[in-house]
Amino acid sequence: MARHSLIRVLTLSLLAVAWLAAAAQSEVPLGRLPDTVRPTGYRLELSVDPAKLEFSGHTEIEAVLAKPARFIFLHGRDLRVSTVQVQAGGSTLAARYTQVDESGVARLDFPQELPAGKVTLSFEYTGGFRTGAEGLFHAKVGGEWYAWTQMEPTDARRVFPGFDEPGFKTPFTVSVTAPASTKVFANAPEVAAATAVGGSVHRFAPTKPLPTYLVAIAVGPFDVLETTVPPNAVREKPLRFRVIATRGQMPRMQLAAAEAPKLLERLEAYFGRPYPFEKLDFAASPLQDGAMENAGLIVFQDALILLDPDARLGQLRSFGDVSAHEMAHQWFGNLVTPAWWTDIWLNESFAEWMGNKVSSQWRPDLDIPAVQLAEAFSAMESDALGHGRPIHQEITDSREIASAFDEITYLKGAQVLSMFESYLGPEKFREGVQLHLARYAYGNATADDFFQSLATSAHDPHLVPAMRTFIDQTGVPVIGVHETPGGLTLTQARYHPLGVSPGAPQTWKIPVCLSRGSNRSCTLLETASASIPPIAGEGPLVPNAGGDGYYRFRLDAASWRQLIAASPKLPTREAMAVGDSIWSDFAAGTGTFNRVVAAARALGEHSHALAATELAQHLEGLARSAFTEDEIAGYHRLMLSIYGPRLAAVGLDLRRGAYAADPAPAQALRQSLVPLVALEGRDPAVRKQLAAAAAASLGGDTRVLDDAFRETALAVAVQDRGVPFIAELKEALVKSSEPLFREDAAAAIGSADTPELASAALKLAFSGDLQSSETLSILEFLGRERGARSTVLAFVDDNFARVLHVVPGFVRPMMVSWLFNGGCSEEDLTKLDTWARSRLKELGGGGLELAKTKERIGVCAALRKAKGTEMAAVLSSPTAASPR
Ligand SMILES: [Zn+2]
């Protein structure tokens, strides 16, 4: 490995010298390429043996020069290009390829000026397999080697030279030579296979026009489960559908094969257009981070699509909403592609919103709309900071692209879309979506194009300007609600927590819906304040009816009391909105900690898991950062006093299938209470029960522990049984071929909560026999444990190169927040600054993450300063604090 990269550095620097002479002529484009050349088609011939360290390629690109050129810029990253030829105007010439920027910008110099018009560029090259999910990556699973690709956003350039931007859509004709024992998959159907030198050559049909980031292949001795999705009202032909996984997973492939077509058909019905490609494959990879919507060949993290028949609720939910999300991209993203990364929100906000919509139609009992709302609230936490980005953000430098794939794009975006869908009415909104797809099918579109489609179908001049106030602006509005004898006065302002200074005043055009009992009143609040008529009916006023709005609200003390008292019986999403607004009012310095605790107790009586535990995550957040060491025991007592009685009331039998006959919401409630009572409340009896079950199940008795409680049980055993158990768990992980067990085990190893345990966990995590994604997961989980944090940081510093090796470039910038989010003091800020100064470049960016993490530390410090005494009083006598 070391020798390999040394050679690469030397080659690059020699070439760089040659290139310097010509460098003065032009600036290296770190954002969009100049419009002098446009590709019209690719032929990719790859030789891929996943067991090797390198692959090789022959790439031919048909392109058009807009004007005569001596050189052009294109993309290629860490490729060793041996030969480049250009065919132009009837002659073939040798060209010189030079990578001129580490982000993967390359320059092609021609021996003479080429005339404007058609050219063909041919490259011979080799490249290295990656060990994390970026570019072409490989892994050994069950003793055999496999390879997959992850190109988005800018890693296609690690696999082939090209014009690696979403605006360039062309057909790709792909062929792959691979060992005869392997199967090969690509975006389009395979049309021919033949024996060749070094294995078999697999040829695929030309694709529909695609951008580089959607190109994909998978190579290995996979198991394949094939089925067809029958024709329906919008699709005339049956569709070939396959689930692909590493060998031995066949029993876990059945559920996805049976259920994914149901999600697909709902999407087709919504869009009123058939699935836009020739076939659909779901491929599972242990290294994939989440999932990737490659046209016709979606790659998922193993546990997302490999499910046992009795899969637990959380896994079913993730399967449903992630696979619906990725399939929604086949229209939003793949059929119609953003012209540039600035509009990546058009992909991600839509896929997220559609994924939630379709998966909750598929399994209404899974409470997916409540999950979506919880995610919207987490986006609000980030959006409330001073350093943020709007959903729609100009991107000028490729190194900023990764940071556009954040909670704002996905989660704020989804909630904003659902708010405006609800404002406009689902049918009109859908007409706008369908019109947009019809206008730009197989092409590119911008945000303005989308807004025009929506405006055309909406016939409402208010819609687009109102949406833009949420898409182009950062921040979360807070709506003040005051009841007067004549009606209601609504005010709006930007919400900011303590520690974030208020900027210039902002207003939004907000669809506000309020309810009282079954009466609902909606208005578009366009100014800083407005009056509306009273809302008749019984009971307290709920200022975010249905939890549909992307805003928080503020009430007077008496109205809060009424709302808290009513919260156990409110609809789930409304109850969650009450919890979020009570938390945010406290974080802004206006609410009290007593009110937070009172609301947590009241909501704790709710029948739905996410409402019952809405405030738990905020209390957990305080325990990770704001509470002092001395206060932690009080925190455990507080959590136990809130959630312990509820768990006792619903009962806890850990045996496999004990609650299989219960309705999903009842199961979900118990499942979310167990970690709160065991890990946050530290209930000794529940912990003993869990640790014993964990040990027995690891010993081979599979009946004693249901999967639903496994992650918590293993975590408790890691903390209570210590190093020997961690070692035993790691051995079990390495031996297991069950993706979900491996995930649970990695998370549990990451819950080591003392320096000694954390050191042992890190040693095992980096022992080399885990998948890189698992090592990464242990590292990330350890970063959340306050007792492990300094050990993790020291380890990362001592082993920086090894750590970077398991973190794909795409997620590297986020390391800043994993490692420092727990900070709450000036000292923590200084430590972060020093650390980041020398690391940021190697992390490939992270400026925004750094600014946000610093701000979070400041927010925590300000909250401590203002509310420390209040919090300490409650924590010293947790059960006493429950005034409603
Ligand atoms: Zn997506």
Side-chain angles (χ1 to χ4, degrees), residues 152 291 293 325-326 329 347-348 351-352 405 410:
E152 193 183 29
E293 71 266 22
H325 173 116
E326 304 307 333
H329 271 313
N347 277 11
E348 297 304 347
E352 192 64 20
F405 289 81
Y410 285 75

Side-chain angles (χ1 to χ4, degrees), residues 595-632:
R595 185 183 292 147
V596 172
V597 172
R601 290 191 197 287
L603 285 168
E605 292 164 29
H606 203 282
S607 59
H608 277 63
L610 283 159
T613 61
E614 166 60 30
L615 281 163
Q617 41 148 346
H618 293 296
L619 295 169
E620 280 182 64
L622 291 174
R624 269 204 294 278
S625 53
F627 296 158
T628 62
E629 279 309 320
D630 297 345
E631 289 166 349
I632 290 298

Side-chain angles (χ1 to χ4, degrees), residues 194-259:
T195 308
V197 182
S200 307
V201 58
H202 302 257
R203 298 188 191 285
F204 298 87
T207 66
K208 294 268 179 15
L210 295 179
T212 44
Y213 82 86
L214 289 173
V215 171
I217 60 165
V219 181
F222 295 105
D223 277 351
V224 182
L225 178 56
E226 176 154 356
T227 176
T228 33
V229 192
N232 55 34
V234 297
R235 180 168 37 77
E236 289 169 2
K237 289 188 200 153
L239 177 72
R240 187 176 187 199
F241 175 57
R242 292 176 296 194
V243 181
I244 299 161
T246 54
R247 227 181 255 185
Q249 297 292 352
M250 193 57 89
R252 296 191 183 94
M253 293 154 71
Q254 312 288 336
L255 195 143
E259 298 298 319

Side-chain angles (χ1 to χ4, degrees), residues 483 515-519 535-542 559 562-563 566 570:
E483 295 208 61
S515 66
R516 195 192 296 277
S518 56
N519 294 329
I535 302 169
E538 291 297 307
L541 187 71
V542 179
S559 304
Q562 284 180 26
L563 204 46
L570 288 176

Side-chain angles (χ1 to χ4, degrees), residues 269-281:
Y270 183 88
F271 291 125
R273 301 177 67 91
Y275 169 79
F277 302 101
E278 293 83 358
K279 56 91 183 169
L280 175 60
D281 295 327

Side-chain angles (χ1 to χ4, degrees), residues 409-648:
T409 297
Y410 285 75
L411 309 177
K412 176 180 180 179
Q415 176 78 351
V416 166
L417 288 174
S418 107
M419 173 167 73
F420 282 98
E421 182 196 24
S422 157
Y423 165 79
L424 189 63
E427 271 315 308
K428 274 197 194 166
F429 198 83
R430 180 177 160 202
E431 275 172 38
V433 169
Q434 292 189 347
L435 177 65
H436 182 67
L437 294 174
R439 279 181 176 169
Y440 301 101
Y442 299 110
N444 293 93
T446 63
D448 284 330
D449 299 329
F450 173 71
F451 284 133
Q452 272 175 23
S453 304
L454 211 52
T456 306
S457 66
H459 305 293
D460 180 345
H462 297 289
L463 175 75
V464 169
M467 274 183 92
R468 279 188 177 281
T469 65
F470 283 87
I471 284 163
D472 296 334
Q473 276 191 111
T474 56
V476 186
V478 56
I479 295 179
V481 182
H482 309 280
E483 295 208 61
T484 61
L488 296 166
T489 306
L490 306 180
T491 58
Q492 65 159 305
R494 177 169 175 154
Y495 170 79
H496 57 89
L498 289 168
V500 173
S501 40
Q506 275 176 258
T507 53
W508 288 259
K509 298 179 194 299
I510 313 170
V512 178
C513 290
L514 305 98
S515 66
R516 195 192 296 277
S518 56
N519 294 329
R520 191 174 163 122
S521 166
C522 295
T523 184
L524 190 66
L525 179 63
E526 298 187 90
T527 48
S529 76
S531 295
I532 60 168
I535 302 169
E538 291 297 307
L541 187 71
V542 179
N544 188 355
D548 289 342
Y550 187 79
Y551 57 82
R552 292 172 149 167
F553 56 84
R554 188 166 286 161
L555 302 172
D556 58 48
S559 304
W560 277 132
R561 268 197 302 276
Q562 284 180 26
L563 204 46
I564 290 172
S567 62
K569 299 286 177 212
L570 288 176
T572 305
R573 283 170 51 110
E574 291 186 359
M576 292 170 69
V578 171
D580 173 73
S581 283
I582 283 176
W583 162 259
S584 57
D585 196 38
F586 166 68
T590 37
T592 64
F593 191 57
N594 266 333
R595 185 183 292 147
V596 172
V597 172
R601 290 191 197 287
L603 285 168
E605 292 164 29
H606 203 282
S607 59
H608 277 63
L610 283 159
T613 61
E614 166 60 30
L615 281 163
Q617 41 148 346
H618 293 296
L619 295 169
E620 280 182 64
L622 291 174
R624 269 204 294 278
S625 53
F627 296 158
T628 62
E629 279 309 320
D630 297 345
E631 289 166 349
I632 290 298
Y635 164 73
H636 295 322
R637 288 198 301 274
L638 174 68
M639 294 301 268
L640 193 53
S641 78
I642 301 174
Y643 302 106
R646 195 74 211 274
L647 179 61

